[in-house]
Amino acid sequence: TMAVVELQFFSNVFDEIVSKLNESEINTNDEASNDALMKVVRQLYQHAPDAVRRCIDERCGKNSGVIKEKVCGEKDSISKILTAETNETIIQQQKQHVSIGERKTSSLARDDEGSNLSSIIRSIPDPITIESEAGLNLFFESIQLDFGNTHADKWKNRRESLIKLQRLIAGRNIQIHGTEVIIAHMQGLPLQTQIEDLRSQVTRQSCKVTVYLAYILKEKFEVLAGLWFPSMLKLAISGNRVLAQQGETCILQVCALGGTGYPCLITLLCDGCVGKYHQNHIKCCVIAVTVALRVWSRKLLDDHSTVIMQAIKAATVDRDAGVREEGRRGFWALYAIFKSSAEEMMSCFDSRSKKQLEKIEASVNREWEEGGDMWRLTLGYEPVKRDVRSSSMAPAKSKPVKRFDRTKINRQFVKDS
């Protein structure tokens, strides 16, 4: 995208198209020529929409409306080219970039089952695009001021600033200024305090910013992940159930969207599985390790195989039922990568633990198969809430209550009297 926007050939190609339109070299009645022209402009617009709109306004002048009519077949803005794309085209584009770990898949689940992050980010209203470096610095300074005001009555200002960050992410500023510049600005913001805020509306918007950046940056998000992940874990152990669910979901999505992975988090996650922490802290670490085994690169996992196996083994025999259930899911993720080590680990378990492991094997593998819930999560779709309660925790069937014959009791009472 940076090359398309900045290099001179983009301007030359667009000048040539505009000159042909101005000189009427393309017949408006020639459908084949019009289709070819629309295809070229659509491709240019897809990579650099702001630059295309700016080029039309600058180079076409009064003829801009006529040119848009010839290109789009309507008298509206060229921005409607993107909205005119069919769902089939979007699916074909996604198919080329979908991968889970090192295995590339060839098809995508249906879009009618939910919107993925790509469409959600594109649908953010009023995206903010800042082209100058000075303007970007002023923007982040204003955000810094709002975050710095931690007064209880100013929480709405902090929430609005988080929404502005989402609009900035949707405005293609990462492509304009570069990944390193945006990451440096984000590092300077105290987003950790927003993630740990006591108001669910603030934490919800904070988690959205985190997930959007993780989806766009992939493995480059590692710097911010190492900075913000401890705060996500604190949010997950909140006594408020809504806040705890937000933290757990955010951790799940960040790890699933991590591309080749975040090496800086491996030690933190594995230590969280074996240390003496809150049960939700341990469970979230086990979930993150499980997702890492399914998604992150094999080389990264090989370098930390020992601590990963210790973490999974500790989670499988944990005293908390929810942690044990996630530990079993992690065991089958470990089995898919390190089969011999997983079999050796399984031989150390008692018969009851083995039966519980075998019972969930099929359902866990279905989640990660193409079209499964966890597979869709790696593509940016919303996570599906799972029931982590094991079958052994199911409520026992209530026994029928023995009803007493009140008449018989009264007769016995009279007789005794």
Side-chain angles (χ1 to χ4, degrees), residues 18-36:
V18 172
S19 64
K20 288 183 179 181
L21 286 168
N22 285 331
E23 297 171 5
S24 300
E25 292 183 14
I26 296 181
N27 185 5
T28 55
N29 297 325
D30 188 353
E31 295 183 359
S33 298
N34 283 341
D35 291 342

Side-chain angles (χ1 to χ4, degrees), residues 69-140:
E69 182 179 358
K70 289 181 180 180
V71 172
C72 308
E74 58 185 14
K75 297 181 180 180
D76 202 352
S77 171
I78 195 171
S79 61
K80 290 192 175 181
I81 294 177
L82 186 61
T83 59
E85 291 184 344
T86 59
N87 291 333
E88 183 178 358
T89 304
I90 296 174
I91 292 175
Q92 293 298 329
Q93 293 172 359
Q94 291 176 341
K95 287 180 180 179
Q96 299 174 3
H97 303 285
V98 172
S99 62
I100 296 182
E102 299 175 355
R103 181 178 63 88
K104 292 185 178 181
T105 55
S106 60
S107 63
L108 184 65
R110 295 176 299 171
D111 281 342
D112 56 0
E113 295 180 4
S115 299
N116 66 346
L117 287 173
S118 178
S119 61
I120 291 174
I121 294 174
R122 288 201 305 269
S123 64
I124 293 177
D126 301 326
I128 299 174
T129 301
I130 304 174
E131 297 186 359
S132 65
E133 183 178 353
L136 190 67
N137 292 335
L138 289 175
F139 176 85
F140 276 99

